[in-house]
Amino acid sequence: MEAKPYSIRSPKRGWSWETPPDPIPEEQIAETQEKDVVVIGGGISGLAASARLLQKGLSVVTLDKCSWAGGHGWQIAALDSPLMRARGKKIDKYEFVRRWLEVSGNQPNEDMLWLFVNNSPKVIEWLLSMFDEEVENQIYTGCYHGPVFEEYQGSLHFLKTPESRFKQKGGGPLLIEVFERDIARRGGLLLRSTKVHYLEKDETGRVTGCIVSGEDGVYLRWKGTRAVVLATGDIGGDEE
């Protein structure tokens, strides 16, 4: 069986995503709409960003090409959380970072690692503030304990309670529902089945918005007067 090539295009010839698409003729763009922030991507990252921006009082539209939300994963890691404190589980963040860098061959971006380390407690508390009484959290205890290393008990499960009105049982899919509910409560606009064709910039090079189309094929321009957030997920389904 012939080995499948890693990529369908040689870097020497250029990647397809390096070539900007042809602009949509202005006369084909039916309408221009504005929000303070345009969030591109309606998965966990995009919905989390949209929910937080709305809580800060900004107007937000969230655009996603899929008709459904794909929330993957089950556990969320944190170095600290209210439940961990209640159970007496404390992780030394300096030792944690040292071990992370050691096992990763000093390859991680340490600035980003410290962002996670220092902010994970606040993120968990923020999530808990949106759960009401319909979601509970648990600490994952199936950790490895052995002579080489010992896993931290810092992974949290979020599960719906028996009286919850959410459809999903837990994990990423449940967080999607939590974010969508919060966005709707705050008047956010979530547009699925909406493909973003390309970003637009002003004369200074700042990204100002994007051109999109929905299931009807009509082109629209969305402008973010304050910012445009890219939260478009991984590229696991694209060979190139």
Side-chain angles (χ1 to χ4, degrees):
M1 181 176 177
E2 185 178 352
K4 190 175 182 180
Y6 177 75
S7 176
I8 58 176
R9 186 182 289 257
S10 167
K12 294 182 179 179
R13 298 191 343 233
W15 306 107
S16 64
W17 42 263
E18 292 181 307
T19 303
D22 294 330
I24 305 297
E26 195 64 31
E27 62 272 15
Q28 293 186 27
I29 301 175
E31 188 178 359
T32 296
Q33 300 191 50
E34 291 186 355
K35 292 287 185 183
D36 291 330
V37 183
V38 175
V39 176
I40 302 174
I44 287 181
S45 297
L47 294 178
S50 298
R52 186 59 175 161
L53 289 163
L54 287 161
Q55 291 172 11
K56 292 290 187 179
L58 298 170
S59 61
V60 182
V61 60
T62 310
L63 310 169
D64 194 271
K65 68 180 180 181
C66 296
S67 60
W68 49 273
H72 302 292
W74 195 261
Q75 301 173 39
I76 294 180
L79 267 75
D80 184 24
S81 74
L83 184 58
M84 292 169 68
R85 287 174 223 143
R87 301 279 178 84
K89 298 185 181 299
K90 181 175 177 58
I91 298 175
D92 184 294
K93 64 181 182 180
Y94 298 102
E95 174 67 11
F96 177 88
V97 170
R98 187 194 67 77
R99 287 181 59 187
W100 187 313
L101 293 174
E102 181 182 28
V103 300
S104 303
N106 289 321
Q107 293 301 308
N109 181 324
E110 193 170 345
D111 289 339
M112 294 189 68
L113 177 54
W114 278 107
L115 279 175
F116 161 68
V117 168
N118 290 324
N119 289 285
S120 63
K122 290 184 286 187
V123 171
I124 298 301
E125 290 171 5
W126 175 66
L127 288 174
L128 294 173
S129 72
M130 289 186 285
F131 286 167
D132 298 333
E133 300 298 322
E134 297 187 62
V135 180
E136 61 183 6
N137 68 114
Q138 302 174 358
I139 297 176
Y140 176 68
T141 57
C143 302
Y144 174 82
H145 302 281
V148 179
F149 71 96
E150 182 172 331
E151 287 185 332
Y152 293 108
Q153 287 193 5
S155 294
L156 306 175
H157 286 169
F158 295 115
L159 303 168
K160 72 174 184 179
T161 57
E163 63 275 11
S164 174
R165 293 166 293 175
F166 291 118
K167 297 178 181 179
Q168 300 296 332
K169 180 180 179 180
L174 176 59
L175 286 184
I176 290 286
E177 282 195 82
V178 170
F179 290 141
E180 286 182 338
R181 183 181 70 175
D182 198 75
I183 288 169
R185 285 176 172 178
R186 298 176 188 277
L189 184 59
L190 173 58
L191 300 178
R192 298 206 179 275
S193 301
T194 301
K195 179 180 179 180
V196 176
H197 294 273
Y198 56 85
L199 302 174
E200 291 193 310
K201 300 180 180 180
D202 61 17
E203 61 279 0
T204 68
R206 177 182 178 272
V207 175
T208 57
C210 57
I211 302 298
V212 311
S213 64
E215 292 181 303
D216 57 6
V218 176
Y219 294 109
L220 300 174
R221 171 179 287 114
W222 272 102
K223 298 185 69 174
T225 59
R226 298 284 295 275
V228 175
V229 176
L230 281 181
T232 49
D234 63 43
I235 51 172
D238 188 320
E239 285 186 23
E240 185 181 357

